[in-house]
Amino acid sequence: MLTQSLFYFLSFLAIFSALAVIIAKNPVHSVLYLILTFFAITGHYILLNAQFLAIVNMIVYAGAIMVLFLFVLMLLNLNAETEPQKPAYIKIAGVVSGGLLLLVLVGALKTVDVSGAGGTTATDMGLVENLGMVLFNEFLLPFELASVLLLTAMVGAVLIGRREA
Amino acid sequence: MTSLIIVSVLAVAVLYLGLFKYKTALLPVSVTGLLAAAAMAAMDWDLEKMYFSEMMLFDNYAVAFSILLILTTLLIFGLSRNYFEKISNNVAEYYALMLFALAGGVVMVSFHNLAMLFIGIEILSISLYVLAGIRRKDPASNEASLKYFLMGAFATGFLLFGTALIYGATGSFNLAAIASSGAFESALFRAGVLLMMVGLSFKVSVAPFHTWTPDVYEGSPGLIAMFMATVVKTAGFAAFLRLFLMAFAEASAFWAITVAILCILTLFAGNITAVFQDRFKRLLAWSSVSHAGYLLLAILAVGFSASSAVLVYTIAYSLASVAAFGIMILVSRARGNDHLDSFNGLARTNPFLAFTLTLAVCSLAGIPLTAGFFGKFYVFKVALAQGYTWLVVLAVINAMIGIYYYFKVIIAMYMKENANAVAIQLNPGFRLVLSIVVFLIFLFGIFPGLIANIL
């Protein structure tokens, strides 16, 4: 019962703050609402027994990435005058295509049979230990290749950011 | 698998060469490494080996496309002597990033698990976001890089969402498990297929997700645009076809109509817009959009003849693009821009270049006796065998529109005069690569059986 009310509270919080991100006029408010969204999602992860994912989500998204966002926003010095205005037909086209996507997704999710799903209900499922077992057995190759990906990104960042000699 | 390891290690080795300032060794080491990688890939022929709990499957499809990607990169490296030096001192990093991108491409053609597909696409894309922006003082290059990055990141979101929905519907990332899950009727699975299709369409510039293509091609340095048009497009389509062939083939009744509509949109958007271009690089960018349309025809006809048709088409397209972009680089370097008027009188000053470019655009347009003709021929053949006659008719109309704008550059070279044009100097690398390309376009145009029956 407690879990259920917690779920509804977190879902409300997540949807409300996600909407606020795109509705808020002030970009800094948007970012703050986005942090709230991430916290709500972290709560969902804990409800789903994904403890490791919850911590990582908190540290990486709410911590590192959002701070970066805030920094960039404050450096850019955005205000109402510099905000680009889009013509009406682009806004309408965006609303229509976004609405269609929403329709398809809602239609798809409505038919999902939740009774058969669920998989394991073990409470230690999302612990680092179990995640590590999967990561270093079945998903060893993607895990190793992710290092190539990170190295590429690192070389690229240095290449772009370095001062020309 | 060995070839993937060689390519990744080679990229790191090239970075070290750059660190210790062995600038002259960069190209020889890269070329030797790539040759070794191609040879190791060829050793996997007919072995059908699975690696690391079915993460990768090196079947003949993967081997053939890996070799194609590696050899195309070799051709591009052959043109790269003294190219990157003009941009900045960080030459080793450029080679390393191209090699990393190639490693991503090899993963994309050999994946057997959606997690691998995602990692492959990301390795390829991230390298290219950087490579598009290596002219740091040039605003167009910066714009290309940023635009590509934002669009690519957006597309990756769709791809990941689709992957998640498919996992939800089938309970697995494994292609064979997805194909045998029998969840094709579930709306969740179908939404997943559509979202993955959107994500992949972005990457291979299929309309209506193609809008980034002309700006990114135009802003990127010529050699990088060449890499995008050849290696990236080949890897993207090989991954597209592999996913739909190995995982979603049974659900084809559901997604075929969507692909058919994307195909028509892409053909018309690419070809009609290309007619109005007066810069050669932008023309090639739009023509690369239209070629994505022809390749979609083959995806409609899932089956093993489809892989063979895509292989022939991508070989022909890669060869012709290497020549066309290469000569575009030479002309715009010598005459200041890539406007079609810059090609005036090229036949008189540089007969070899004019002939090569003529052959390349004929191959792109699909004129007989060139490899491009058989590329289109096999693609149309597999589409006809599946009963898409109306689609093939539309594609042939588009091929005719294509001839119109491809011939504009031939007319400029042979019919128009430019009084103060001077001959363009070729370095040995260009001469060698262009000769190889001319030879291969003719060879595959006269003996298509050499490549048509590989798969």
Side-chain angles (χ1 to χ4, degrees), chain A residues 93-125:
Chain A
V95 168
V96 169
S97 48
L100 284 174
L101 181 63
L102 181 73
L103 199 71
V104 169
L105 290 181
V106 169
L109 291 173
K110 233 176 64 173
T111 59
V112 173
D113 178 19
V114 283
S115 60
T120 171
T121 47
T123 48
D124 60 351
M125 178 183 79

Side-chain angles (χ1 to χ4, degrees), chain B residues 198-214:
Chain B
V198 169
L200 287 168
S201 300
F202 257 111
K203 301 286 177 190
V204 294
S205 62
V206 161
F209 313 107
H210 66 288
T211 41
W212 56 271
T213 317

Side-chain angles (χ1 to χ4, degrees), chain B residues 270-318:
Chain B
N271 280 310
I272 292 180
T273 324
V275 168
F276 300 104
Q277 304 303 322
D278 51 8
R279 287 179 167 268
F280 192 53
K281 201 173 180 185
R282 248 186 130 74
L283 192 151
L284 284 176
W286 283 106
S287 100
S288 115
V289 172
S290 76
H291 284 282
Y294 298 116
L295 279 161
L296 274 184
L297 273 178
I299 289 183
L300 273 176
V302 279
F304 278 97
S305 53
S307 359
S308 168
V310 168
L311 182 67
V312 175
Y313 201 103
T314 46
I315 290 176
Y317 177 65
S318 299

Side-chain angles (χ1 to χ4, degrees), chain B residues 357-404:
Chain B
L357 187 55
T358 307
L359 194 66
V361 293
C362 283
S363 184
L364 286 173
I367 308 285
L369 286 186
T370 60
F373 171 73
F374 284 101
K376 283 206 173 59
F377 174 78
Y378 285 113
V379 165
F380 290 168
K381 199 175 104 181
V382 293
L384 280 176
Q386 293 283 315
Y388 288 102
T389 319
W390 56 281
L391 208 54
V392 173
V393 170
L394 287 177
V396 170
I397 293 173
N398 274 286
M400 288 190 280
I401 302 175
I403 292 177
Y404 168 72

